[in-house]
Amino acid sequence: MPASIPTSLASWNVNSIRARKDRTLAWLETYQPEVLCLQETKVTDDAFPRADFEALGYHVTTCGQKTYNGMALLSRTEPSDVIRRFDDDDAEPEARFLSARFADLQIICVYVPNGQVVGSDKYAYKLAWLDRLQRHLERHCDPDQPLVLCGDLNIAPEDRDVCEPAAWAETVLCEPGVRDAFRRLCGWGLVDTFRLHHDAEKLYSWWDYRQLAFQKNQGLRIDHILVTRTLSRRCTRVQIDRQARKGKGASDHAPVLATFSNEG
DNA sequence: ATGGTTGCTTAGCAA
């Protein structure tokens, strides 16, 4: 078993790293994952509060922009082969794709476009973006090698991932087009680690700030850790940390944490 | 009831 396989890896849409810095630092100290993939950092690379995370012993790899989107990879070891934005388009204005290598392990962190409303220009962009992600995997990655694709996919893959499936069915998080895209990613060779360990369970990773959605548990599971076969065999546990969504000053997303063993 | 909440940036957008 390669030594580079992390014992644990997490993904969290923090909805601004500057607004969530203290919560993120505290969470890291508690769970101490090998890698934490952040989305919606909402900050340019030069303004990312990297020193605070480096002080905890993490390398900080950012792919940010002003105001919107943005990701960061916090990791115990330093990555190589960092790719920011799809490498087939240097002009891509939105920071939504960050890929890095840790020895023989490839990690791709994504913040998939939300899409706003089915039928809108933004929704067409979401579907096109998901196609580009699929193409990236097909052209540049190997499903037989250790690879993690994680982040805010803005897709609830099945009805069991949705509080009220009928009410959400025609929204940008659930309608058939995005669920097809999710299935195509899995068809390439990815496994939804959460469903390895939670079958019929309805657990969510995002709750709207409005209408007391969290208190009423009106959520959806749209944040995912997908892995190739060689890693799914070693995935021993996946948790969604609801605790982190609680209280004033929380992100509207909870972190997802996957644990791996070195035994295959 | 087309609302409501949050963050960034400062009235409006995105989620």
Side-chain angles (χ1 to χ4, degrees):
Chain A
M1 189 59 217
S4 62
I5 300 307
T7 53
S8 64
L9 175 146
S11 178
W12 193 4
N13 179 326
V14 289
N15 186 20
S16 168
I17 190 57
R18 287 176 293 182
R20 226 67 64 200
K21 190 181 80 176
D22 290 346
R23 274 182 178 260
T24 307
L25 289 166
W27 194 87
L28 271 178
E29 289 204 277
T30 301
Y31 288 91
Q32 312 214 352
E34 204 84 4
V35 181
L36 173 59
C37 299
L38 302 175
Q39 303 87 38
E40 275 208 272
T41 49
K42 295 187 172 181
V43 69
T44 51
D45 294 346
D46 59 301
F48 192 98
R50 68 169 48 237
D52 297 280
F53 295 98
E54 288 169 349
L56 285 188
Y58 283 89
H59 286 82
V60 179
T61 306
T62 57
C63 173
Q65 68 177 94
K66 190 175 149 96
T67 311
Y68 301 120
N69 311 317
M71 290 144 299
L73 236 50
L74 311 179
S75 56
R76 287 294 191 194
T77 60
E78 190 171 7
S80 62
D81 303 314
V82 177
I83 301 174
R84 296 175 174 84
R85 296 174 166 79
F86 288 118
D87 53 6
D88 61 350
D89 184 3
D90 294 338
E92 171 60 53
E94 301 194 355
R96 299 181 174 277
F97 178 98
L98 174 59
S99 170
R101 170 166 293 280
F102 297 85
D104 58 347
L105 172 68
Q106 188 73 34
I107 295 184
I108 299 176
C109 172
V110 295
Y111 175 46
V112 174
N114 171 282
Q116 204 162 53
V117 174
V118 174
S120 66
D121 289 351
K122 286 192 165 62
Y123 193 65
Y125 179 74
K126 178 180 193 172
L127 294 177
W129 198 95
L130 286 163
D131 277 343
R132 294 178 70 186
L133 177 59
Q134 181 84 26
R135 280 208 311 278
H136 179 92
L137 292 174
E138 289 168 356
R139 290 178 185 176
H140 302 293
C141 305
D142 182 349
D144 296 322
Q145 294 297 313
L147 180 143
V148 175
L149 172 67
C150 69
D152 178 356
L153 272 70
N154 267 315
I155 301 170
E158 300 178 56
D159 282 353
R160 59 183 167 164
D161 301 308
V162 184
C163 55
E164 276 185 87
W168 287 86
E170 302 306 319
T171 69
V172 294
L173 303 179
C174 298
E175 73 82 45
V178 293
R179 286 184 168 177
D180 279 351
F182 188 93
R183 275 192 295 271
R184 284 200 299 277
L185 291 172
C186 295
W188 175 78
L190 292 168
V191 175
D192 178 356
T193 56
F194 178 83
R195 287 300 174 200
L196 292 171
H197 304 289
H198 308 270
D199 183 18
E201 240 174 317
K202 296 189 73 167
L203 294 177
Y204 312 124
S205 66
W206 170 81
W207 302 258
D208 199 291
Y209 279 128
R210 296 166 290 189
Q211 318 270 92
L212 298 172
F214 180 67
Q215 289 83 344
K216 295 186 273 189
N217 198 27
Q218 293 177 344
L220 290 85
R221 193 174 68 90
I222 58 176
D223 299 271
H224 306 288
I225 297 175
L226 311 181
V227 302
T228 49
R229 271 283 293 162
T230 153
L231 281 179
S232 67
R233 288 197 212 95
R234 295 170 171 79
C235 180
T236 54
R237 185 181 189 194
V238 177
Q239 305 159 257
I240 300 177
D241 181 21
R242 271 184 62 91
Q243 198 67 27
R245 178 61 176 79
K246 291 181 179 174
K248 192 172 164 58
S251 168
D252 46 352
H253 295 251
V256 185
L257 175 69
T259 308
F260 299 88
S261 88
N262 285 315
E263 308 299 320

